């Protein structure tokens, strides 16, 4: 299915289908899967049916009056108390940069750059209520003049006239140890059914300095006779740790799934993988997780190859691979 075919779909004519927990987690984790090295940077959608199955949690929330005076990230923590958001709160930089368009004002509130990942929070004041739950922006995000892809967005209705949210983007596979220039130009806010909720012409530019992070090359093979893969790089910052891999997977039908624990007994849940085609025809990708404790020195990974139907993403077979260990230092 091409991007044009997707846009022409009549959503009302698509029959809803039940999907497994694994499929839901992967859809929620990565709505879009991007072919990284294509010059025109086109987006490959998972599938029309999968897209309609996404559960959106951006309903209106109630916050006490005191929350109105809290930083945006602290308000988001009240809704989703994740350790990564707390890192954002601890190390983020106050921005307070406003722009108005078509009667609606967006204020960039806080931003955080950990050497490879950028996160930015914001508040949006509306001149009139919107119908439907906001899901994602159509936008332009540039770092040092290069277009990058937003990986995740969290948008919440605080009340009928206020949205709060944040977005995250991986800007480099290698650690950047210099100040970066970020430009964000949101234009259209869409709902789950791709309906336009808000249009405008906002633009922001800011400079962000990185927190301490490091990157190192790896050469840790894993797999079996059928699947030969290798972890070739590790990037570790305060916000996220990423393990990069490559291997002979079919990008359309074979997915790498990972169960992870560490040397002190922590179990990491809801870990997803992102993958893209390489020029050689192999699949490259990365696994991203949050490692909070400096006492954690080793990750213990149990990989599985899930084979799915190319059109529906329904599971056909799971192939267990041998357990491997990844040193973090």
């Amino acid at each position: 299915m091409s991007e044009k075919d997707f846009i022409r779909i009549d959503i009302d004519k698509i029959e809803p289908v039940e999907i497994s927990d694994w499929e839901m987690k992967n859809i929620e984790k990565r709505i879009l899967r991007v072919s990284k090295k294509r010059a025109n940077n086109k987006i490959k959608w998972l599938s029309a049916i999968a897209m309609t199955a996404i559960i959106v949690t951006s309903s209106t929330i109630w916050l006490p009056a005191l929350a109105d005076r809290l930083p945006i990230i602290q308000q988001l923590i009240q809704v989703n108390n994740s350790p990564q958001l707390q890192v954002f709160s601890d190390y983020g930089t106050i921005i307070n940069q406003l722009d108005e368009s078509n009667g609606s004002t967006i204020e960039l509130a806080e931003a955080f750059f950990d050497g490879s990942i950028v996160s930015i929070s914001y508040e949006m004041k509306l001149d009139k209520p919107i119908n439907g739950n906001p899901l994602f922006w159509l936008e332009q995000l540039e770092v040092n003049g290069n277009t990058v892809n937003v990986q995740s967005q969290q948008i919440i209705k605080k009340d009928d006239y206020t949205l709060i949210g944040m977005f995250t983007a991986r800007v480099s596979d290698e650690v950047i140890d210099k100040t970066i220039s970020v430009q964000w130009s949101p234009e259209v806010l869409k709902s789950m059914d791709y309906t336009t909720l808000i249009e405008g012409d906002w633009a922001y530019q800011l400079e962000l300095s990185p927190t301490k992070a490091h990157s190192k090359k790896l050469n840790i093979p894993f797999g079996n006779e059928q699947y030969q893969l290798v972890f070739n790089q590790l990037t570790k910052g305060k916000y996220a740790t990423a393990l990069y891999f490559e291997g002979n997977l079919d990008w359309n039908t074979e997915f790498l799934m990972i169960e992870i624990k560490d040397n002190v007994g922590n179990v990491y849940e809801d870990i997803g993988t992102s993958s893209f085609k390489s020029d050689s025809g192999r699949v490259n990708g990365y696994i991203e997780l949050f490692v909070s404790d400096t006492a954690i020195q080793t990750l213990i990974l149990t990989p599985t190859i899930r084979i799915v139907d190319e059109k529906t993403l329904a599971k056909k077979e799971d192939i267990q691979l041998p357990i491997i260990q990844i040193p973090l230092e």
Side-chain angles (χ1 to χ4, degrees):
M1 175 180 293
S2 70
E3 292 84 357
K4 291 182 178 179
D5 291 334
F6 181 88
I7 293 172
R8 294 192 185 105
I9 289 174
D10 185 346
I11 297 293
D12 293 333
K13 293 183 179 180
I14 298 178
E15 292 294 328
V17 297
E18 291 187 4
I19 61 175
S20 68
D21 291 342
W22 175 86
E23 291 161 340
M24 178 60 69
K25 288 177 182 178
N26 276 274
I27 293 167
E28 291 174 337
K29 184 74 176 178
R30 295 288 183 266
I31 293 175
L32 307 178
R33 301 176 67 223
V34 181
S35 181
K36 187 174 182 181
K37 295 190 178 181
R38 292 166 65 181
N40 59 7
N41 201 32
K42 285 186 177 179
I43 292 171
K44 177 178 176 119
W45 294 89
L46 285 176
S47 74
I49 294 177
M51 188 67 182
T52 62
I54 298 168
I55 295 177
V56 181
T57 59
S58 58
S59 57
T60 303
I61 60 172
W62 178 88
L63 294 173
L66 178 61
D68 291 338
R69 298 190 293 274
L70 290 175
I72 298 303
I73 190 63
Q74 285 296 324
Q75 297 181 49
L76 291 171
I77 286 174
Q78 292 188 26
V79 180
N80 176 19
N81 187 20
S82 76
Q84 279 183 300
L85 289 185
Q86 190 58 56
V87 169
F88 188 133
S89 177
D90 292 342
Y91 293 94
T93 300
I94 302 299
I95 302 299
N96 293 339
Q97 192 176 132
L98 291 86
D99 194 15
E100 187 273 339
S101 182
N102 287 348
S104 297
T105 300
I106 302 176
E107 177 182 4
L108 299 193
E110 305 116 336
F112 174 65
F113 174 47
D114 82 339
S116 60
I117 293 176
V118 165
S119 286
I120 297 176
S121 67
Y122 60 88
E123 180 177 69
M124 185 172 194
K125 293 291 187 180
L126 310 173
D127 61 344
K128 57 184 177 181
I130 58 175
N131 295 318
N133 289 325
L135 180 61
F136 62 94
W137 286 99
L138 296 181
E139 63 203 324
Q140 180 85 352
L141 182 66
E142 294 185 357
V143 175
N144 292 340
N146 299 314
T147 300
V148 299
N149 296 293
V150 173
Q151 291 177 296
S152 64
Q153 300 196 47
Q154 180 180 353
I155 308 173
I156 296 170
K157 279 185 179 179
K158 183 177 173 182
D159 56 47
D160 287 343
Y161 294 89
T162 309
L163 304 176
I164 58 175
M166 67 176 293
F167 61 87
T168 299
R170 176 168 289 278
V171 302
S172 174
D173 294 343
E174 302 282 351
V175 169
I176 300 174
D177 59 3
K178 299 179 180 179
T179 298
I180 60 171
S181 175
V182 179
Q183 292 179 302
W184 185 50
S185 303
E187 296 180 349
V188 181
L189 184 62
K190 294 283 188 176
S191 66
M192 179 178 172
D193 61 3
Y194 217 70
T195 300
T196 295
L197 301 178
I198 303 171
E199 290 184 281
D201 185 21
W202 302 271
Y204 305 87
Q205 182 168 349
L206 58 152
E207 306 289 319
L208 296 177
S209 297
T211 60
K212 185 177 180 180
H214 73 271
S215 181
K216 70 174 183 177
K217 299 297 182 182
L218 302 175
N219 184 21
I220 302 178
F222 65 103
N224 57 18
E225 292 184 359
Q226 181 179 0
Y227 297 103
Q228 293 88 45
L229 300 101
V230 61
F231 283 110
N232 49 29
Q233 182 176 304
L234 179 146
T235 299
K236 189 173 187 299
K238 291 185 179 297
Y239 199 69
T241 294
L243 285 166
Y244 293 84
F245 66 89
E246 65 171 305
N248 61 335
L249 301 178
D250 184 318
W251 186 62
N252 295 305
T253 62
E254 296 174 338
F255 295 87
L256 176 64
M257 300 170 57
I258 296 286
E259 294 180 6
I260 303 178
K261 59 183 180 179
D262 60 36
N263 60 290
V264 300
N266 296 313
V267 176
Y268 298 80
E269 298 181 348
D270 300 331
I271 300 299
T273 61
S274 293
S275 60
F276 47 88
K277 294 179 182 178
S278 67
D279 292 338
S280 64
R282 292 163 65 85
V283 165
N284 290 2
Y286 62 86
I287 303 159
E288 195 171 273
L289 65 154
F290 176 67
V291 179
S292 60
D293 191 344
T294 56
I296 299 169
Q297 299 178 347
T298 304
L299 297 177
I300 303 162
L301 280 62
T302 303
T304 300
I305 303 299
R306 172 154 291 184
I307 302 174
V308 302
D309 182 272
E310 183 173 356
K311 293 183 178 180
T312 66
L313 297 183
K315 182 181 77 169
K316 297 173 68 175
E317 182 182 4
D318 281 347
I319 300 176
Q320 189 78 49
L321 301 180
I323 295 174
I324 56 173
Q325 296 191 15
I326 306 290
L328 293 179
E329 302 297 336

